[in-house]
Amino acid sequence: MTEYALQLRGVGKTYGPTKVLANVDVDITKASVHALLGGNGSGKSTFIKILAGIVPADPQGTIRTPEKVYDAREFNPHAARKAGLRFVHQDLGLFDDLTVAENIALVDGFPKSSVGVAWRRLHREVNDLLGRFSVPVSARERLGDLPAAMKTMVAVARALRDEEASVLVLDEPTASLPPQEVEQLLSALRTCRDNGQTIIYVSHRLEEVAALADEATVLRDGQVVGRPVGQGLTQNNLAALMSGTSDRRPALRRVDPPPGSERLSISESPDSNVKGITIHAGEIVGISGLADSGVTSMLRSLYGAREKSTCCVTSHTGEAWPTTTYQAAKQGIAYVPRDRLDEGIYADLSVRENLMLPHLNKYWSLGRFQRQKEKAEGYNLMHRHSVRAPDLDSPAYTLSGGNQQKIVIARAISTASSVLLLDEPTQGVDVAARADIHNALREATTNGTSILVASTDFEELSALCDRIILLDKGHLLAELPGGTPAATILETLYSSLETEQNDNIHQQ
């Protein structure tokens, strides 16, 4: 007979006239990895908040553990903890400047001795805890010196350190991990599962879910639309359940190089080894690399967001390449940073204000602001980019992450008449939103806009880009054609790096 670590029955949530969750039933099997899936706006985030006790559910629903049945409406953070639920969010809540032991002790306190902190006891207990979860790090190591995957495992060990912990909820644990560390984390989670730990795994990355999960619950429009297990956990099946169609609507990639002149060239300079990168009008060029590859700093330099450019850039538009963000905007260059919340979306402003902010000047005529014209064009942008929002004047913070990202990209596309720079444009969005974004970017190139997109998602680079450039610490390692399989991109990245290291050894 199947044993369940957690069961939810009839759980719902209503905000005014909107039903966010409708009578949701979920069974979480003990010692399993249970994937919780759904597109942006599916109710997934609300479901997690109810489990954490942060948001009260509507009346009638129940949350059952092997020991107790809880009224979902009265389930609060204290009850969630008593029920054995532990959470690790995207923001791990760790401090790079502290040791592993210090990060773990911050929650329950430091053990005391007659002269202060009992450091030996703390290090011994933390090393025992890390060993329990097969985390190959030392309690004395500085957290900032660890790979990202190991930081996540430290957060997992911290969450599960007490005996009452029974269900671990991981919310997008690989969203910020480089590709080479994803499998490292998945392997560690399999070990946890095999040792009897129950895991609820929330992710947009369906290839990870297919490789890791034993069972899944798929939400769409606040309702459970599928409970695939075993062989039903394929990427295509999961995508079809999430989107309501078997068509994942991939963006169409151009096969032949686009016509048109060079838009910009990035060449060697005294403080950079990047050279020989040329981007044509109407072309999408992908750029990626291992950790510390210098990709983000390159994009920020191209946008004039750094005091000193790390590369020498030649413009083929007849103007000097901009050195400030103001100059970049004047020349039709737009930038989408990877940190949507801090640098991309204006959360307290409305959808309309976020979309139309760069264009306000053109709606003034004879001292009057043409509000209706601005709203009409705002609706046009909103619908063209498939932004799902109750209304154009809805606050941006009420939208799902995927719809917020569509707004950020729609705004950038509307101003990028020359070059569009994007850093991880689909990080943390679902498959349908990702396809919408890809199609919007491809459409933008038809007007001659050149796009440089940085991504650690090699599947994305393969599907979207005309060419793919691989970097390591500012060095140009390789250039591949669009459509190159993700596995080949990763293999090329590592083989090129190995060749470079061998050459250095011979030179020495």
Coordinates of all heavy atoms in Angstrom, one line a residue, residues 342-429:
D342 N 15.3 43.3 -9.6 CA 16.1 44.5 -9.1 C 16.3 45.5 -10.3 O 16.4 46.7 -10.0 CB 17.4 44.0 -8.5 CG 17.2 43.4 -7.1 OD1 16.1 43.6 -6.6 OD2 18.1 42.8 -6.6
E343 N 16.5 45.0 -11.5 CA 16.9 45.9 -12.6 C 16.0 46.0 -13.8 O 16.2 46.8 -14.6 CB 18.3 45.4 -13.1 CG 19.4 45.5 -12.0 CD 20.8 45.1 -12.7 OE1 21.4 46.0 -13.3 OE2 21.2 44.0 -12.5
G344 N 15.0 45.1 -13.8 CA 14.1 45.0 -15.0 C 12.8 45.6 -14.8 O 12.4 46.6 -15.5
I345 N 12.0 45.0 -14.0 CA 10.6 45.4 -13.8 C 10.4 46.5 -12.8 O 11.2 46.6 -11.8 CB 9.7 44.2 -13.4 CG1 8.2 44.5 -13.7 CG2 10.0 43.8 -12.0 CD1 7.8 44.4 -15.1
Y346 N 9.5 47.5 -13.0 CA 9.1 48.4 -12.0 C 7.9 47.9 -11.3 O 6.8 48.1 -11.7 CB 8.9 49.8 -12.6 CG 10.1 50.4 -13.3 CD1 10.3 50.2 -14.7 CD2 11.1 51.0 -12.6 CE1 11.4 50.7 -15.3 CE2 12.2 51.6 -13.2 CZ 12.4 51.4 -14.6 OH 13.5 51.9 -15.2
A347 N 8.1 47.1 -10.2 CA 7.0 46.3 -9.6 C 5.8 47.1 -9.2 O 4.7 46.6 -9.3 CB 7.6 45.4 -8.5
D348 N 6.0 48.3 -8.7 CA 4.9 49.1 -8.1 C 4.2 49.9 -9.2 O 3.1 50.4 -8.9 CB 5.4 50.1 -7.0 CG 5.9 49.3 -5.8 OD1 5.4 48.2 -5.5 OD2 6.8 49.8 -5.1
L349 N 4.7 49.9 -10.4 CA 4.0 50.6 -11.5 C 3.1 49.7 -12.2 O 3.2 48.4 -12.1 CB 5.0 51.2 -12.5 CG 6.0 52.3 -11.9 CD1 6.9 52.8 -13.0 CD2 5.3 53.4 -11.2
S350 N 2.2 50.2 -13.0 CA 1.2 49.4 -13.7 C 1.9 48.7 -15.0 O 3.0 49.1 -15.4 CB 0.0 50.2 -14.2 OG 0.4 51.1 -15.2
V351 N 1.2 47.8 -15.6 CA 1.6 47.2 -16.8 C 1.8 48.3 -17.9 O 2.9 48.3 -18.6 CB 0.6 46.2 -17.3 CG1 1.0 45.7 -18.7 CG2 0.5 45.0 -16.4
R352 N 0.9 49.2 -18.0 CA 1.0 50.3 -19.0 C 2.2 51.2 -18.7 O 2.9 51.5 -19.6 CB -0.3 51.2 -18.9 CG -0.3 52.4 -19.7 CD -1.5 53.3 -19.6 NE -1.8 53.6 -18.2 CZ -1.2 54.6 -17.5 NH1 -0.3 55.3 -18.1 NH2 -1.5 54.8 -16.3
E353 N 2.4 51.5 -17.5 CA 3.5 52.4 -17.1 C 4.9 51.7 -17.4 O 5.8 52.4 -17.9 CB 3.5 52.8 -15.7 CG 2.3 53.8 -15.4 CD 2.0 54.0 -13.9 OE1 2.2 53.0 -13.2 OE2 1.6 55.1 -13.5
N354 N 5.0 50.4 -17.1 CA 6.2 49.7 -17.4 C 6.5 49.6 -18.9 O 7.6 49.8 -19.4 CB 6.1 48.3 -16.9 CG 6.6 48.1 -15.5 OD1 7.8 48.0 -15.3 ND2 5.7 48.2 -14.5
L355 N 5.4 49.4 -19.7 CA 5.6 49.3 -21.2 C 5.9 50.6 -21.8 O 6.7 50.7 -22.7 CB 4.3 48.7 -21.8 CG 4.0 47.2 -21.5 CD1 2.6 46.8 -22.0 CD2 5.1 46.3 -22.2
M356 N 5.2 51.7 -21.4 CA 5.3 52.9 -22.1 C 6.2 54.0 -21.6 O 6.4 55.0 -22.1 CB 3.8 53.6 -22.1 CG 2.8 52.6 -22.7 SD 3.2 51.9 -24.3 CE 3.3 53.3 -25.3
L357 N 6.9 53.6 -20.5 CA 7.8 54.6 -19.8 C 8.8 55.2 -20.8 O 9.0 56.5 -20.7 CB 8.6 53.9 -18.7 CG 9.3 54.8 -17.7 CD1 8.3 55.7 -17.0 CD2 10.0 53.9 -16.6
P358 N 9.5 54.5 -21.7 CA 10.5 55.1 -22.6 C 9.8 56.0 -23.7 O 10.6 56.7 -24.4 CB 11.2 53.9 -23.3 CG 10.8 52.7 -22.5 CD 9.4 53.0 -21.9
H359 N 8.5 55.9 -23.8 CA 7.9 56.6 -25.0 C 7.0 57.8 -24.6 O 6.3 58.4 -25.4 CB 7.0 55.6 -25.7 CG 7.7 54.3 -26.1 ND1 8.7 54.3 -27.0 CD2 7.6 53.1 -25.6 CE1 9.1 53.1 -27.1 NE2 8.5 52.3 -26.3
L360 N 7.1 58.2 -23.3 CA 6.1 59.2 -22.8 C 6.2 60.6 -23.6 O 5.2 61.2 -23.8 CB 6.3 59.5 -21.3 CG 6.0 58.3 -20.4 CD1 6.2 58.7 -19.0 CD2 4.6 57.8 -20.6
N361 N 7.4 60.9 -24.0 CA 7.6 62.2 -24.7 C 6.8 62.4 -25.9 O 6.3 63.5 -26.2 CB 9.1 62.5 -25.0 CG 9.9 62.8 -23.8 OD1 9.3 63.2 -22.8 ND2 11.2 62.7 -23.9
K362 N 6.6 61.3 -26.6 CA 5.9 61.4 -27.9 C 4.4 61.6 -27.8 O 3.7 61.8 -28.8 CB 6.2 60.2 -28.8 CG 5.5 58.9 -28.5 CD 5.9 57.9 -29.5 CE 5.1 56.6 -29.3 NZ 5.4 55.5 -30.3
Y363 N 3.8 61.5 -26.6 CA 2.4 61.6 -26.4 C 2.0 63.0 -25.9 O 0.8 63.3 -25.6 CB 1.9 60.6 -25.4 CG 2.1 59.2 -25.9 CD1 3.0 58.3 -25.4 CD2 1.3 58.7 -27.1 CE1 3.2 57.0 -25.9 CE2 1.5 57.4 -27.6 CZ 2.5 56.6 -27.0 OH 2.7 55.4 -27.5
W364 N 3.0 63.9 -25.8 CA 2.7 65.3 -25.4 C 2.5 66.1 -26.7 O 3.2 66.1 -27.6 CB 3.8 65.9 -24.6 CG 3.9 65.4 -23.2 CD1 4.6 64.4 -22.7 CD2 3.1 65.9 -22.1 NE1 4.4 64.3 -21.4 CE2 3.5 65.2 -21.0 CE3 2.1 67.0 -22.0 CZ2 2.9 65.4 -19.7 CZ3 1.6 67.2 -20.8 CH2 2.0 66.4 -19.6
S365 N 1.3 66.8 -26.7 CA 1.0 67.7 -27.9 C 0.3 68.9 -27.4 O -0.7 68.9 -26.7 CB 0.1 66.9 -28.9 OG -0.2 67.7 -30.0
L366 N 0.9 70.1 -27.8 CA 0.4 71.4 -27.4 C 0.1 71.5 -25.9 O -0.9 72.0 -25.4 CB -0.9 71.7 -28.2 CG -0.8 71.7 -29.7 CD1 -2.2 71.9 -30.3 CD2 0.2 72.7 -30.1
G367 N 1.1 70.9 -25.1 CA 1.0 71.0 -23.7 C 0.0 70.0 -23.0 O -0.2 70.1 -21.8
R368 N -0.5 69.1 -23.8 CA -1.5 68.1 -23.3 C -1.0 66.7 -23.5 O -0.4 66.4 -24.6 CB -2.9 68.3 -23.9 CG -3.5 69.7 -23.6 CD -4.9 69.7 -24.2 NE -5.8 68.7 -23.5 CZ -7.1 68.5 -23.8 NH1 -7.6 69.2 -24.8 NH2 -7.8 67.6 -23.2
F369 N -1.2 65.8 -22.6 CA -0.8 64.5 -22.7 C -1.9 63.6 -23.3 O -3.1 63.6 -22.8 CB -0.4 63.9 -21.3 CG 0.2 62.5 -21.4 CD1 1.6 62.4 -21.8 CD2 -0.5 61.4 -21.1 CE1 2.2 61.1 -21.9 CE2 0.1 60.1 -21.2 CZ 1.5 60.0 -21.6
Q370 N -1.6 62.9 -24.4 CA -2.6 62.2 -25.1 C -2.8 60.8 -24.5 O -2.3 59.8 -25.0 CB -2.2 62.0 -26.6 CG -2.1 63.4 -27.3 CD -1.5 63.3 -28.7 OE1 -0.4 62.8 -28.9 NE2 -2.3 63.7 -29.7
R371 N -3.6 60.7 -23.4 CA -3.7 59.5 -22.6 C -4.3 58.3 -23.4 O -3.9 57.2 -23.3 CB -4.5 59.8 -21.4 CG -4.8 58.6 -20.5 CD -3.5 58.1 -19.8 NE -3.0 59.0 -18.9 CZ -1.8 59.0 -18.4 NH1 -1.0 58.0 -18.7 NH2 -1.4 59.9 -17.5
Q372 N -5.3 58.6 -24.2 CA -6.0 57.6 -24.9 C -5.1 56.9 -25.9 O -5.1 55.7 -26.1 CB -7.3 58.1 -25.6 CG -8.4 58.5 -24.6 CD -8.7 57.3 -23.6 OE1 -8.9 56.2 -24.1 NE2 -8.8 57.6 -22.3
K373 N -4.3 57.8 -26.6 CA -3.4 57.2 -27.6 C -2.3 56.4 -26.9 O -2.0 55.3 -27.4 CB -2.7 58.4 -28.4 CG -1.8 57.9 -29.5 CD -1.3 59.1 -30.3 CE -0.3 58.7 -31.4 NZ 0.3 59.8 -32.1
E374 N -1.9 56.8 -25.8 CA -0.9 56.0 -25.0 C -1.4 54.7 -24.6 O -0.8 53.7 -24.7 CB -0.4 56.8 -23.8 CG 0.7 56.1 -23.0 CD 0.5 56.1 -21.5 OE1 -0.7 56.4 -21.1 OE2 1.4 55.9 -20.8
K375 N -2.7 54.7 -24.1 CA -3.3 53.5 -23.6 C -3.5 52.5 -24.8 O -3.3 51.3 -24.7 CB -4.6 53.8 -22.9 CG -4.5 54.4 -21.6 CD -5.8 54.5 -20.9 CE -6.3 53.1 -20.4 NZ -7.5 53.2 -19.5
A376 N -3.9 53.0 -25.9 CA -4.2 52.2 -27.1 C -2.9 51.5 -27.6 O -2.9 50.3 -27.9 CB -4.7 53.0 -28.3
E377 N -1.8 52.2 -27.6 CA -0.5 51.6 -28.0 C 0.0 50.7 -26.9 O 0.7 49.7 -27.2 CB 0.5 52.7 -28.3 CG 0.1 53.5 -29.5 CD 1.3 54.3 -30.1 OE1 2.4 54.0 -29.7 OE2 1.0 55.3 -30.8
G378 N -0.3 51.0 -25.6 CA 0.0 50.1 -24.5 C -0.7 48.7 -24.7 O -0.1 47.7 -24.5
Y379 N -2.0 48.8 -24.9 CA -2.8 47.5 -25.2 C -2.2 46.8 -26.4 O -2.1 45.5 -26.3 CB -4.3 47.9 -25.5 CG -5.1 47.9 -24.2 CD1 -5.7 49.1 -23.8 CD2 -5.3 46.8 -23.4 CE1 -6.5 49.2 -22.7 CE2 -6.1 46.8 -22.3 CZ -6.7 48.0 -21.9 OH -7.4 48.1 -20.8
N380 N -1.8 47.5 -27.4 CA -1.2 46.8 -28.6 C 0.0 46.1 -28.2 O 0.2 44.9 -28.6 CB -0.9 47.9 -29.6 CG -0.4 47.3 -30.9 OD1 -0.8 46.2 -31.3 ND2 0.5 48.0 -31.6
L381 N 0.9 46.7 -27.4 CA 2.2 46.0 -27.0 C 1.8 44.8 -26.1 O 2.4 43.8 -26.2 CB 3.0 47.0 -26.2 CG 4.1 47.8 -27.0 CD1 4.9 48.7 -26.0 CD2 5.1 46.8 -27.7
M382 N 0.9 45.0 -25.2 CA 0.5 44.0 -24.3 C 0.0 42.7 -25.0 O 0.4 41.6 -24.7 CB -0.6 44.5 -23.3 CG -1.1 43.5 -22.3 SD -2.4 44.3 -21.3 CE -3.2 42.9 -20.6
H383 N -0.8 42.9 -26.0 CA -1.4 41.8 -26.7 C -0.4 41.2 -27.7 O -0.3 40.0 -27.9 CB -2.7 42.2 -27.4 CG -3.8 42.5 -26.5 ND1 -4.3 41.6 -25.6 CD2 -4.5 43.7 -26.4 CE1 -5.3 42.2 -24.9 NE2 -5.4 43.4 -25.4
R384 N 0.4 42.0 -28.3 CA 1.4 41.5 -29.3 C 2.4 40.6 -28.6 O 2.9 39.7 -29.2 CB 2.1 42.7 -29.9 CG 3.0 42.3 -31.1 CD 3.9 43.4 -31.6 NE 3.2 44.7 -31.7 CZ 3.9 45.9 -31.6 NH1 5.2 45.9 -31.5 NH2 3.2 47.0 -31.7
H385 N 2.7 40.9 -27.3 CA 3.7 40.1 -26.6 C 3.1 39.1 -25.6 O 3.7 38.5 -24.8 CB 4.7 41.0 -25.8 CG 5.6 41.8 -26.7 ND1 6.8 41.3 -27.2 CD2 5.5 43.0 -27.3 CE1 7.4 42.1 -28.0 NE2 6.6 43.2 -28.1
S386 N 1.7 38.9 -25.8 CA 1.0 37.8 -25.0 C 1.2 38.0 -23.5 O 1.3 37.0 -22.8 CB 1.5 36.4 -25.5 OG 1.3 36.2 -26.9
V387 N 1.1 39.3 -23.1 CA 1.2 39.5 -21.6 C -0.2 39.2 -21.0 O -1.2 39.9 -21.4 CB 1.6 41.0 -21.3 CG1 1.6 41.2 -19.8 CG2 3.0 41.2 -21.9
R388 N -0.2 38.3 -20.1 CA -1.5 37.9 -19.4 C -1.6 38.8 -18.2 O -0.9 38.6 -17.2 CB -1.5 36.4 -19.1 CG -1.6 35.6 -20.3 CD -1.7 34.1 -19.9 NE -2.8 33.8 -19.1 CZ -3.1 32.6 -18.6 NH1 -2.2 31.6 -18.7 NH2 -4.2 32.4 -17.9
A389 N -2.6 39.7 -18.2 CA -2.8 40.6 -17.0 C -4.3 40.9 -17.0 O -5.0 41.0 -18.1 CB -2.0 41.8 -17.1
P390 N -4.9 41.1 -15.8 CA -6.3 41.4 -15.7 C -6.7 42.7 -16.5 O -7.7 42.8 -17.1 CB -6.6 41.6 -14.2 CG -5.5 40.8 -13.6 CD -4.3 40.9 -14.5
D391 N -5.7 43.6 -16.4 CA -6.0 44.9 -17.1 C -4.6 45.6 -17.3 O -3.6 45.3 -16.7 CB -6.9 45.8 -16.1 CG -7.3 47.1 -16.8 OD1 -8.2 47.1 -17.6 OD2 -6.7 48.1 -16.5
L392 N -4.7 46.6 -18.2 CA -3.5 47.3 -18.5 C -3.0 48.1 -17.3 O -1.8 48.4 -17.2 CB -3.7 48.3 -19.7 CG -2.5 49.0 -20.3 CD1 -1.6 48.0 -21.0 CD2 -3.0 50.0 -21.4
D393 N -3.8 48.5 -16.4 CA -3.5 49.3 -15.3 C -3.2 48.4 -14.0 O -3.1 48.9 -12.9 CB -4.5 50.3 -15.0 CG -4.5 51.4 -16.0 OD1 -3.4 51.9 -16.4 OD2 -5.6 51.8 -16.5
S394 N -3.2 47.1 -14.2 CA -2.8 46.2 -13.1 C -1.4 46.4 -12.6 O -0.5 46.6 -13.5 CB -3.0 44.8 -13.4 OG -4.3 44.5 -13.8
P395 N -1.1 46.5 -11.3 CA 0.3 46.6 -10.8 C 1.1 45.4 -11.3 O 0.7 44.3 -11.3 CB 0.1 46.6 -9.3 CG -1.3 46.9 -9.0 CD -2.1 46.4 -10.2
A396 N 2.3 45.7 -11.7 CA 3.2 44.7 -12.3 C 3.5 43.6 -11.2 O 3.7 42.4 -11.6 CB 4.5 45.3 -12.8
Y397 N 3.5 43.9 -9.9 CA 3.9 42.9 -8.9 C 2.8 41.8 -8.8 O 3.0 40.8 -8.2 CB 4.1 43.6 -7.6 CG 2.9 44.2 -6.9 CD1 2.0 43.4 -6.2 CD2 2.7 45.6 -6.9 CE1 0.9 44.0 -5.6 CE2 1.7 46.2 -6.3 CZ 0.7 45.4 -5.6 OH -0.3 46.0 -5.0
T398 N 1.6 42.1 -9.3 CA 0.5 41.1 -9.2 C 0.7 40.0 -10.3 O -0.1 39.0 -10.3 CB -0.8 41.7 -9.3 OG1 -1.0 42.4 -10.6 CG2 -1.0 42.8 -8.2
L399 N 1.5 40.2 -11.3 CA 1.7 39.3 -12.4 C 2.7 38.2 -12.1 O 3.6 38.4 -11.2 CB 2.1 40.0 -13.7 CG 1.1 40.7 -14.5 CD1 0.2 41.7 -13.8 CD2 1.7 41.3 -15.8
S400 N 2.6 37.1 -12.8 CA 3.6 36.0 -12.6 C 4.9 36.5 -13.2 O 5.0 37.4 -14.0 CB 3.1 34.8 -13.4 OG 3.1 35.0 -14.8
G401 N 6.0 35.7 -12.8 CA 7.3 36.1 -13.3 C 7.5 36.1 -14.8 O 8.2 36.9 -15.4
G402 N 6.8 35.1 -15.5 CA 6.9 35.0 -16.9 C 6.3 36.2 -17.6 O 6.8 36.8 -18.6
N403 N 5.2 36.7 -17.1 CA 4.5 37.9 -17.7 C 5.3 39.1 -17.3 O 5.3 40.1 -18.2 CB 3.1 38.0 -17.1 CG 2.1 37.0 -17.8 OD1 2.0 37.0 -19.0 ND2 1.6 36.0 -17.1
Q404 N 5.9 39.2 -16.2 CA 6.8 40.4 -15.9 C 7.9 40.4 -16.9 O 8.3 41.4 -17.4 CB 7.3 40.3 -14.5 CG 6.3 40.5 -13.4 CD 6.9 40.4 -12.0 OE1 8.0 40.0 -11.8 NE2 6.0 40.7 -11.0
Q405 N 8.5 39.2 -17.2 CA 9.6 39.2 -18.1 C 9.2 39.6 -19.5 O 9.9 40.2 -20.2 CB 10.3 37.8 -18.1 CG 11.5 37.6 -18.9 CD 12.7 38.4 -18.4 OE1 12.6 39.2 -17.5 NE2 13.9 38.1 -18.9
K406 N 8.0 39.2 -19.9 CA 7.5 39.6 -21.2 C 7.4 41.1 -21.3 O 7.7 41.7 -22.4 CB 6.1 39.0 -21.5 CG 6.1 37.5 -21.8 CD 4.7 37.0 -22.0 CE 4.6 35.5 -22.2 NZ 3.3 35.0 -22.4
I407 N 7.0 41.7 -20.2 CA 6.9 43.2 -20.2 C 8.2 43.8 -20.4 O 8.4 44.8 -21.2 CB 6.2 43.7 -18.9 CG1 4.8 43.3 -18.8 CG2 6.4 45.2 -18.7 CD1 4.1 43.6 -17.5
V408 N 9.2 43.3 -19.6 CA 10.6 43.9 -19.7 C 11.1 43.7 -21.1 O 11.7 44.7 -21.7 CB 11.5 43.1 -18.7 CG1 13.0 43.6 -18.9 CG2 11.1 43.4 -17.3
I409 N 10.9 42.6 -21.8 CA 11.4 42.4 -23.1 C 10.6 43.2 -24.1 O 11.2 43.7 -25.1 CB 11.4 40.8 -23.4 CG1 12.5 40.2 -22.6 CG2 11.7 40.6 -24.9 CD1 12.5 38.7 -22.7
A410 N 9.3 43.3 -24.0 CA 8.5 44.1 -24.9 C 8.9 45.5 -24.9 O 9.1 46.2 -25.9 CB 7.0 44.0 -24.5
R411 N 9.2 46.0 -23.7 CA 9.7 47.4 -23.6 C 11.0 47.6 -24.3 O 11.3 48.6 -25.0 CB 9.8 47.8 -22.1 CG 10.2 49.3 -21.9 CD 10.3 49.6 -20.4 NE 11.3 48.8 -19.7 CZ 11.1 48.3 -18.5 NH1 10.0 48.3 -17.9 NH2 12.1 47.6 -17.9
A412 N 11.9 46.6 -24.1 CA 13.3 46.7 -24.7 C 13.2 46.6 -26.2 O 13.8 47.4 -27.0 CB 14.2 45.6 -24.2
I413 N 12.3 45.7 -26.7 CA 12.2 45.6 -28.2 C 11.6 46.9 -28.8 O 12.0 47.3 -29.9 CB 11.3 44.4 -28.5 CG1 12.0 43.1 -28.2 CG2 10.8 44.4 -30.0 CD1 11.1 41.8 -28.4
S414 N 10.7 47.5 -28.1 CA 10.1 48.7 -28.6 C 11.0 49.9 -28.7 O 10.8 50.8 -29.4 CB 8.9 49.1 -27.7 OG 9.3 49.6 -26.5
T415 N 12.2 49.8 -28.0 CA 13.2 50.9 -28.1 C 14.5 50.5 -28.9 O 15.3 51.3 -29.2 CB 13.6 51.3 -26.7 OG1 14.2 50.2 -26.0 CG2 12.4 51.8 -25.9
A416 N 14.6 49.2 -29.2 CA 15.8 48.7 -29.8 C 15.8 48.7 -31.3 O 15.5 47.7 -31.9 CB 16.1 47.3 -29.3
S417 N 16.0 49.9 -31.8 CA 16.0 50.0 -33.3 C 17.3 49.6 -33.9 O 17.4 49.3 -35.1 CB 15.7 51.5 -33.7 OG 16.7 52.3 -33.1
S418 N 18.4 49.4 -33.1 CA 19.7 49.1 -33.6 C 20.2 47.7 -33.0 O 20.3 46.8 -33.8 CB 20.7 50.2 -33.2 OG 22.0 49.8 -33.6
V419 N 20.4 47.7 -31.7 CA 20.9 46.5 -31.1 C 20.2 46.2 -29.8 O 19.9 47.1 -29.0 CB 22.4 46.7 -30.8 CG1 23.0 45.4 -30.0 CG2 23.2 46.9 -32.1
L420 N 19.8 44.9 -29.6 CA 19.2 44.5 -28.4 C 20.1 43.5 -27.7 O 20.5 42.5 -28.2 CB 17.8 43.8 -28.7 CG 17.1 43.2 -27.5 CD1 16.8 44.3 -26.5 CD2 15.8 42.6 -28.0
L421 N 20.4 43.8 -26.4 CA 21.3 43.0 -25.6 C 20.5 42.3 -24.5 O 19.8 43.0 -23.8 CB 22.4 43.8 -24.9 CG 23.2 44.8 -25.9 CD1 24.0 45.8 -25.1 CD2 24.1 44.0 -26.8
L422 N 20.6 41.0 -24.4 CA 19.7 40.3 -23.4 C 20.6 39.3 -22.6 O 21.4 38.6 -23.2 CB 18.6 39.5 -24.1 CG 17.7 40.2 -25.0 CD1 17.9 39.9 -26.4 CD2 16.2 39.9 -24.6
D423 N 20.4 39.3 -21.3 CA 21.2 38.5 -20.4 C 20.2 37.5 -19.7 O 19.4 37.9 -18.9 CB 21.9 39.3 -19.3 CG 23.0 38.5 -18.6 OD1 23.1 37.3 -18.8 OD2 23.8 39.1 -17.8
E424 N 20.3 36.2 -20.1 CA 19.4 35.2 -19.6 C 17.9 35.6 -19.7 O 17.1 35.7 -18.8 CB 19.7 34.9 -18.1 CG 21.1 34.4 -17.8 CD 21.3 32.9 -18.3 OE1 20.4 32.3 -18.8 OE2 22.5 32.5 -18.2
P425 N 17.4 35.8 -21.0 CA 16.1 36.4 -21.2 C 14.9 35.5 -20.8 O 13.8 36.0 -20.5 CB 16.0 36.6 -22.7 CG 17.0 35.7 -23.3 CD 18.1 35.5 -22.2
T426 N 15.1 34.1 -20.7 CA 14.0 33.2 -20.3 C 14.3 32.5 -19.0 O 13.6 31.5 -18.7 CB 13.7 32.2 -21.4 OG1 14.9 31.4 -21.6 CG2 13.4 32.9 -22.7
Q427 N 15.2 33.0 -18.2 CA 15.5 32.3 -16.9 C 14.2 32.4 -16.0 O 13.7 33.4 -15.7 CB 16.6 33.0 -16.2 CG 17.0 32.4 -14.9 CD 18.3 33.0 -14.3 OE1 19.4 32.7 -14.7 NE2 18.2 34.0 -13.5
G428 N 13.8 31.2 -15.6 CA 12.7 31.2 -14.6 C 11.3 31.3 -15.3 O 10.3 31.6 -14.5
V429 N 11.1 31.1 -16.6 CA 9.8 31.2 -17.2 C 9.4 29.8 -17.8 O 10.3 29.0 -18.0 CB 9.8 32.3 -18.3 CG1 10.2 33.6 -17.8 CG2 10.6 31.9 -19.5

